[in-house]
């Protein structure tokens, strides 16, 4: 592969994938985008944490060889493009990457660089673990009950960007076509003359690969349950189909490794609730994974009142967006929630801060670097470098438990000590040894 703007480091090797398994050399080249706004200072703190954790875990036997790639404002200033082809090609070639937050260009030709990256690389699973760290301020009584991993479908749903703006020529054409071919459906539109349209594609392949990834993850990581979150009571052939396809994958591909709510309901219909409860209890005791489903609105209520009952979540794109932020708020806000965008077949994965560029903090060295740091922690685990990942968790747990916090948390933590971005990274490194 030849690149126009990128320099490939000579002292590292490529990560590859063979038979669905990542092959990670001891000195892998990993592309990174530092990000806009507060991104560069967050990246400086985060990359020091990654290097320190790897050094502490493996001595000089392993190290990441970082390779800068570009997107967002920095790319726009340097190369007059918000997302160079080089960057997409580098993520494809080197498989893994990590990025800070990017400014969404206004009138840049696409809605969001993040959405464009996910689409170009077909990163269909947006994986968002949400857990509480002792010491983090929270608006709920029991933030420790939140320990979930959201698998949000990343390539379909209302995010497809298929919309027809009211008053546009495309809207008129679409409306006429719709009216002529589907008069009964057209008649359901309350204000047909002033309507804007949006299309919500949800496919069998798209839903099944996402649910497959979620169940796989849950089994590998010994989680208790997978909940399919949908709004199928209203959107029967999109969200409702997501639910049905999800159960199909569970049954057909994971067979006796799972116990589903449909199994439960079948026993209940035939033999009553008590027997159904017994059968479920035995199935779970024997190590089967529970696969259940929940309507989206009820789920938002449950995440506050009964968070302990939920573990891995699989859900279409828009629900996943709402749910991720609502859960992040319970455990200390967006500054600490990490994310990974993954295609489990190609192996390509881009880990990223889930917050934006925090422009008001830019250049002040005060933003919380935890989201990027925990995204790196996910990346290390995905690479199989679990020892280094565990040190990062230990370091962050120690830092938060000591009530040493960054600017946005400081007013909310009684007796807390304020650290800047650099000091927060240093504190994590120090706590790795405690
Ligand atoms: P934002 O996430 O940047 O800020 C929302 C609030 O959260 C602000 O009060 C901010 O100060 C705070 N915040 C965010 N990250 C923080 C951190 N690490 N530490 C402490 N506080 C933090 O969202 P916004 O203001 O709506 O968007 C700013 C820019 O970022 C826009 O251009 C937007 O399009 C972009 N954006 C990018 C991503 C991404 O790259 N993943 C996500 C969301 C928004």
């Amino acid at each position: 592969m030849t690149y126009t703007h990128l320099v490939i480091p000579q002292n590292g090797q490529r990560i590859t994938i063979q038979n669905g398994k990542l092959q990670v050399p001891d000195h892998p080249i990993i592309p990174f985008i530092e990000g806009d706004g507060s991104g560069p200072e967050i990246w400086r703190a985060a990359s020091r944490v990654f290097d320190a954790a790897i050094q502490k875990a493996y001595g000089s036997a392993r190290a990441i060889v970082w390779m800068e790639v570009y997107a967002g404002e920095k790319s726009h200033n340097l190369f007059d493009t918000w997302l160079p082809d080089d960057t997409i090609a580098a993520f494809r070639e080197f498989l893994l990457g990590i990025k800070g937050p990017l400014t969404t260009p206004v009138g840049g030709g696409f809605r969001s660089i993040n959405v464009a990256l996910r689409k170009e690389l077909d990163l269909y699973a947006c994986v968002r673990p949400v857990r509480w760290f002792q010491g983090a301020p929270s608006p709920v009584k029991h933030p420790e009950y939140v320990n979930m991993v959201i698998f949000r479908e990343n390539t379909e749903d209302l995010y497809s960007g298929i919309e027809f703006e009211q008053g546009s020529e495309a809207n008129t054409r679409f409306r006429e076509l719709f009216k002529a071919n589907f008069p009964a459906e057209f008649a359901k539109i309350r204000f047909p003359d002033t309507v804007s349209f949006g299309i919500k594609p949800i496919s069998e392949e798209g839903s099944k690969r996402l649910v497959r990834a979620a169940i796989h993850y849950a089994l590998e990581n010994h989680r208790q349950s997978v909940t399919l979150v949908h709004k199928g009571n209203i959107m029967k052939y999109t969200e409702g189909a997501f639910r049905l396809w999800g159960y199909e994958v569970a049954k057909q591909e994971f067979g006796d490794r799972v116990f589903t709510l449909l199994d439960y309901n079948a026993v209940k219909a035939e033999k009553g609730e008590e027997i159904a409860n017994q059968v479920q209890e035995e199935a779970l005791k024997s190590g089967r994974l529970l696969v259940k489903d929940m309507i989206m609105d009820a789920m938002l209520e449950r995440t506050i009142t009964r968070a302990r009952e939920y573990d891995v979540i699989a859900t279409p794109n828009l629900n996943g967006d709402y749910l991720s932020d609502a859960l992040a708020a319970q455990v200390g806000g967006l500054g600490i929630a990490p994310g990974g965008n993954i295609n489990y077949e190609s192996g390509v994965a881009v880990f990223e801060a889930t917050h934006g560029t925090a422009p008001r903090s830019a250049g002040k060295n005060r933003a919380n670097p935890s989201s990027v740091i925990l995204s790196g922690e996910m990346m290390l685990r995905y690479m199989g470098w679990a020892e280094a990942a565990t040190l990062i968790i230990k370091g962050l747990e120690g830092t938060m438990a000591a009530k040493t916090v960054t600017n946005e948390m400081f007013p909310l933590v009684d007796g807390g000590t304020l650290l800047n971005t650099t000091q927060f990274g240093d504190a994590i490194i120090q706590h790795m040894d405690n």
Side-chain angles (χ1 to χ4, degrees), residues 79-112:
F79 313 118
D80 199 24
T81 163
W82 291 89
L83 181 57
D85 292 342
D86 268 6
T87 297
I88 295 168
F91 284 137
R92 240 185 226 123
E93 177 174 2
F94 295 95
L95 297 189
L96 268 58
I98 182 161
K99 62 175 275 294
L102 297 172
T103 304
T104 299
V106 178
F110 41 83
R111 289 177 183 215
S112 141

Side-chain angles (χ1 to χ4, degrees), residues 385-408:
W385 292 15
E387 297 80 2
T390 300
L391 278 178
I392 291 177
I393 295 289
K394 187 178 168 206
L396 186 59
E397 278 175 348
T399 305
M400 296 300 303
K403 297 191 175 184
T404 41
V405 292
T406 43
N407 182 62
E408 89 289 8

Side-chain angles (χ1 to χ4, degrees), residues 128-323:
R128 298 240 174 126
V130 195
R131 58 156 286 192
W132 180 67
F133 286 86
Q134 194 196 343
S138 164
V140 297
K141 280 190 191 142
H142 288 290
E144 73 278 13
Y145 290 174
V146 177
N147 186 354
M148 301 183 208
V149 183
I150 302 166
F151 277 69
R152 164 185 170 193
E153 204 290 323
N154 234 352
T155 62
E156 297 197 303
D157 201 354
L158 291 165
Y159 278 70
S160 303
I162 310 170
E163 291 195 293
F164 301 99
E165 187 185 6
Q166 187 242 355
S168 69
E169 194 246 325
N171 180 299
T172 308
R173 274 176 32 223
F174 181 77
R175 197 174 37 177
E176 290 314 314
L177 201 97
F178 189 41
K179 187 176 176 181
N181 288 279
F182 301 98
E185 283 77 11
F186 188 82
K188 292 181 187 172
I189 298 172
R190 178 70 184 81
F191 296 111
D193 295 334
T194 58
V195 67
S196 267
F197 292 96
I199 292 193
K200 181 180 172 79
I202 291 204
S203 70
E204 182 174 350
E205 290 103 306
S207 303
K208 283 189 168 174
R209 67 179 179 172
L210 187 269
V211 175
R212 183 179 300 122
I215 296 180
H216 223 277
Y217 175 93
L219 287 167
E220 291 260 298
N221 291 281
H222 310 290
R223 309 288 301 213
Q224 304 297 313
S225 66
V226 172
T227 305
L228 310 168
V229 176
H230 59 91
K231 187 74 186 162
N233 53 334
I234 303 296
M235 293 169 268
K236 296 193 190 309
Y237 304 128
T238 49
E239 302 255 338
F242 175 88
R243 169 183 174 274
L244 282 181
W245 290 323
Y247 279 127
E248 252 175 55
V249 168
K251 223 46 251 144
Q252 290 170 1
E253 300 182 23
F254 295 91
D256 58 8
R257 300 184 71 195
V258 298
F259 182 83
T260 72
L261 191 61
L262 301 186
D263 298 328
Y264 175 90
N265 288 339
V267 180
K268 187 175 157 192
E270 201 184 317
K271 298 180 180 158
E273 191 168 343
E274 207 175 310
I275 303 279
N277 287 341
Q278 273 172 21
V279 172
Q280 172 167 320
E281 201 176 311
E282 274 162 29
L284 302 188
K285 251 196 218 145
S286 75
R288 287 194 192 206
L289 173 76
L290 179 64
V291 179
K292 52 188 176 173
D293 73 279
M294 181 58 59
I295 304 275
M296 177 63 197
D297 45 331
M299 187 67 200
L300 281 175
E301 181 254 307
R302 293 290 180 95
T303 54
I304 293 175
T305 56
R306 291 157 75 164
R308 267 193 296 192
E309 293 174 21
Y310 299 92
D311 196 337
V312 175
I313 310 259
T315 191
N317 209 335
L318 185 60
N319 297 339
D321 192 18
Y322 297 152
L323 205 49

Side-chain angles (χ1 to χ4, degrees), residues 42 99 101-104 114 335 352-360 367-368 408:
I42 287 177
K99 62 175 275 294
L102 297 172
T103 304
T104 299
N114 297 311
E352 66 174 359
T354 56
H355 55 73
T357 57
R360 280 182 302 139
N368 190 339
E408 89 289 8

